[in-house]
């Protein structure tokens, strides 16, 4: 059964399998025999809707499932009244992915430039319709921070006609200031389109001060994308919206089906007004959880944690650890699901994106990581002063424990690996004794599928063109 579960990840090319697929393959459910999966993969709000809201929705389940929803214009008008937006500048979609699809079909001509790694639909969707996608590799040495000036130079060199940035970026959580984003948009006003994807912005520490929603409606070439499913912790409902100049927003709206929003989306939107306080509190708690989770992960030897303003953190695994093998072990042995990033362009299997979860769930994640990586609990690693380059990078400087060459500690049946791999000094004695029987380290074939700091030649050619 475990083999069936882990096979699902190898069958998927760009995204993780759904929780429903994992439950079916593993024979589990919410209360299945093997226990519930603790999810650090899907980035959603763990505190919203509140239990009372779920109870209210449950009481209306038959009505919601039985009847047609109102038209999208009715639902959009309610959302705009709640958020203080002009309905003429808004288009709501069946998830932000539907809006990305229509943006590509209607507004992207021959080419699109985007920094990578980033959300996969911004690279995959245009390629699926035959567009040229110009990918600028975000430098690991600078904490994956986007340099707006470098991006402009990249766009000019490639002569890209559309530019996309995610703010904060997914998977690393890097954030540009409002001034930087507006300067970028205005510098690129000769392009066909600039898209600023703010799907995770509300989880940042300065969301209101960073959003360019108000400014976007004054610019004829700018679209801001927002995701309600991520903010409200309801990915399954599928709803999101964009804000743009009325002409741009109207062009997208004209192509959307009348009933592209379902009855669950309508029910949630019409509940928001009376629950804004609970929603704001959920964001505050998520921000606090991010700080605590980042601090706890940074204590693990050899793990590098990059500063994030999303509701997730991007981590680099210790040298020699294959993220896919780690992911499979965490799921099958500890019922913990993580996002291994080997299938993200611009990333590799040495990186995980870990969703911010409540402290009680982090207390399940950390011991699971310790068991698989080190063979048991480890003493917190001291956090060294960052090197000069990282210190100059400021907020983009990653936080790391003491670097070690590590292998995964075997679960049961040994699998041979190079015996020369060093065992970290802080490993328990039992872990050091079995280090030579660990899961194989990343070798040449695995490195060919991705890269670490500078990228392999193959990926550099893909990114650089």
């Amino acid at each position: 059964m475990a083999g069936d579960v882990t096979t699902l990840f190898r069958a998927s090319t760009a995204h993780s399998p759904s929780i429903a697929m994992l439950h079916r393959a593993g024979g589990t459910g919410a209360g299945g025999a093997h226990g519930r999966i603790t999810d650090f993969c899907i980035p959603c709000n763990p505190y919203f809707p509140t239990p009372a809201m779920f109870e209210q929705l449950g009481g209306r389940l038959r009505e919601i499932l039985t009847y047609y929803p109102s038209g999208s214009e009715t639902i959009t008008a309610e959302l705009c009244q709640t958020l203080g937006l002009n309905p003429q500048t808004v288009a709501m979609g069946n998830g932000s992915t539907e809006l990305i699809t229509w943006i590509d079909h209607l507004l992207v001509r021959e080419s699109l430039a985007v920094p990578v790694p980033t959300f996969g639909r911004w690279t995959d969707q245009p390629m699926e319709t035959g567009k040229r996608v110009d990918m600028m590799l975000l430098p690991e040495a600078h904490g994956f921070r986007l340099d707006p000036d470098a991006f402009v130079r990249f766009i000019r060199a490639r002569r890209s006609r559309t530019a996309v940035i995610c703010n904060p970026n997914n998977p690393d959580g890097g954030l540009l200031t409002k001034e930087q984003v507006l300067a970028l948009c205005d510098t690129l006003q000769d392009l066909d389109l600039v898209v600023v994807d703010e799907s995770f912005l509300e989880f940042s520490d300065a969301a209101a001060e960073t959003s360019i929603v108000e400014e976007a409606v004054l610019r004829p070439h700018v679209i801001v994308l927002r995701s309600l499913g991520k903010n409200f912790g309801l990915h399954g409902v599928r709803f999101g919206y964009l804000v743009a100049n009325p002409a741009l927003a109207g062009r997208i709206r004209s192509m959307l089906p009348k009933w592209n929003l379902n009855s669950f989306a309508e029910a949630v939107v019409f509940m928001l007004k009376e629950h804004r306080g609970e929603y704001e509190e959920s964001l505050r708690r998520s921000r606090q959880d991010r700080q605590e989770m980042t601090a706890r992960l940074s204590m693990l030897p050899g793990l590098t944690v990059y500063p994030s303003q999303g509701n997730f953190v991007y981590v680099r695994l210790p040298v020699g650890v294959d993220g896919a093998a780690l992911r499979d072990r965490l799921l099958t042995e500890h019922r913990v699901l993580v996002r291994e990033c080997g299938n993200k362009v611009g990333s590799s299997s040495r990186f995980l994106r870990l969703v911010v979860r409540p402290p009680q769930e982090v207390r399940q994640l950390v011991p699971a990581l310790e068991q698989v990586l080190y063979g048991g609990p480890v003493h917190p690693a001291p956090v060294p002063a960052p090197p000069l380059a990282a210190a100059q990078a400021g907020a983009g400087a990653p936080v790391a424990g003491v670097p070690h060459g590590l292998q995964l500690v075997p679960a049961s049946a040994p699998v041979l690996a190079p015996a020369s791999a060093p065992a970290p000094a802080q490993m328990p004695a039992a872990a050091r004794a079995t280090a030579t029987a660990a899961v194989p380290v990343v070798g040449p074939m695995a490195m060919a599928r991705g890269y670490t700091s500078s990228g392999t030649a193959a990926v550099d050619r893909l990114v650089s063109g």
Side-chain angles (χ1 to χ4, degrees):
M1 195 68 74
D4 294 339
V5 172
T6 56
T7 300
L8 292 175
F9 291 93
R10 284 171 277 285
S12 177
T13 56
H15 302 281
S16 298
S18 69
I19 290 290
M21 293 174 66
L22 293 174
H23 284 325
R24 287 193 294 268
T28 67
H34 301 291
R36 189 183 185 93
I37 292 174
T38 302
D39 176 28
F40 285 88
C41 177
I42 309 301
C44 61
N45 187 338
Y47 300 114
F48 195 85
T50 64
M53 292 176 69
F54 274 118
E55 186 174 346
Q56 185 178 345
L57 286 168
R60 296 181 54 202
L61 182 61
R62 186 182 183 91
E63 170 197 336
I64 290 171
L65 293 179
T66 300
Y67 298 105
Y68 282 109
S70 303
S72 58
E73 66 279 358
T74 300
I75 304 172
T76 300
E78 175 66 17
L79 179 71
C80 290
Q81 188 177 35
T82 301
L83 300 181
L85 300 172
N86 180 347
Q88 295 303 309
T89 66
V90 175
M92 287 191 71
N94 186 14
S96 59
T97 301
E98 181 182 45
L99 298 173
I100 292 172
T101 301
W102 281 112
I103 289 170
D104 173 51
H105 280 289
L106 295 176
L107 304 175
V108 178
R109 294 196 293 173
E110 72 271 13
S111 58
L112 178 148
V114 61
V116 294
T118 194
F119 178 50
R121 291 312 298 166
W122 284 121
T123 55
D124 299 349
Q125 172 62 41
M127 285 194 287
E128 290 167 7
T129 54
K131 315 292 171 46
R132 188 186 82 236
V133 179
D134 301 322
M135 307 178 201
M136 188 185 85
L137 183 64
L138 294 172
E140 180 184 341
H142 296 157
F144 297 96
R145 289 184 304 117
L146 173 62
D147 179 345
D149 294 334
F151 191 40
V152 170
R153 292 193 297 271
F154 177 85
I155 291 168
R156 298 308 187 200
R158 301 308 173 87
R159 300 187 178 182
S160 313
R161 297 305 308 158
T162 296
V164 174
I165 64 168
C166 295
N167 201 41
N169 191 41
N170 170 13
D172 58 275
L175 185 72
L176 297 180
T177 66
K178 182 174 188 171
E179 292 72 24
Q180 288 176 307
V181 176
L182 289 176
L184 180 67
C185 291
D186 292 343
T187 301
L188 299 175
Q189 60 184 307
D190 58 306
L191 298 192
D192 297 333
L193 183 67
V194 176
V195 180
V196 180
D197 188 337
E198 295 185 351
S199 290
F200 294 99
L201 183 58
E202 299 220 337
F203 294 101
S204 74
D205 293 329
E209 296 86 351
T210 307
S211 176
I212 66 160
V213 161
E214 293 181 1
E215 290 77 11
V217 302
L218 304 176
R219 289 162 169 80
H221 69 301
V222 176
I223 288 177
V224 173
L225 195 68
R226 288 293 191 99
S227 171
L228 296 173
K230 297 177 179 68
N231 296 344
F232 299 157
L234 293 170
H235 284 278
V237 172
R238 309 303 305 141
F239 54 170
Y241 67 99
L242 62 78
V243 182
N245 178 279
L248 270 181
R251 192 171 175 190
I252 298 291
R253 272 199 316 273
S254 69
M255 301 303 295
L256 297 172
K258 182 176 179 60
W259 286 295
N260 69 318
L261 302 172
N262 60 56
S263 295
F264 267 114
E266 179 177 16
V268 173
V269 166
F270 274 82
M271 293 173 70
L272 290 180
K273 246 181 224 173
E274 58 184 293
H275 294 284
R276 286 299 297 272
E278 293 101 313
Y279 174 61
E280 295 298 333
E281 173 63 13
S282 75
L283 296 176
R284 186 197 66 78
R285 294 178 67 184
S286 292
R287 293 168 191 143
Q288 180 177 331
D289 288 349
R290 179 181 63 233
Q291 294 177 357
E292 295 178 4
M293 181 171 163
T294 298
R296 185 65 187 89
L297 290 171
S298 299
M299 295 178 183
L300 296 180
L303 205 70
T304 302
V305 184
Y306 296 90
S308 172
Q309 284 293 306
N311 66 330
F312 45 80
V313 292
Y314 196 47
V315 302
R316 185 181 64 200
L317 297 171
V319 175
V321 173
D322 181 355
L326 174 63
R327 174 204 64 210
D328 292 351
R329 291 274 305 276
L330 289 173
L331 180 59
T332 57
E333 296 171 21
H334 299 276
R335 309 300 296 161
V336 170
L337 177 63
V338 300
R339 175 62 160 97
E340 176 266 327
C341 294
N343 61 358
K344 274 187 174 290
V345 177
S347 185
S348 76
S349 187
R350 208 182 148 193
F351 292 87
L352 302 180
R353 185 198 66 193
L354 299 172
V355 171
V356 172
R357 299 297 299 173
Q360 62 270 24
E361 295 184 19
V362 176
R363 288 193 289 271
Q364 181 179 353
L365 169 69
V366 171
L369 286 169
E370 290 177 328
Q371 185 63 43
V372 178
L373 288 173
Y374 318 114
V378 297
H379 298 295
V383 179
L388 180 59
Q392 291 173 339
V399 180
V402 177
H404 294 294
L406 291 180
Q407 301 172 339
L408 303 186
V409 175
S412 52
V415 181
L416 293 180
S420 59
Q426 290 184 316
M427 274 189 181
R432 293 197 300 271
T434 56
T436 58
V439 173
V441 298
V442 176
M445 294 301 294
M447 291 298 292
R449 298 195 301 268
Y451 49 86
T452 54
S453 59
S454 60
T456 61
V459 175
D460 284 342
R461 285 195 297 272
L462 172 65
V463 174
S464 302

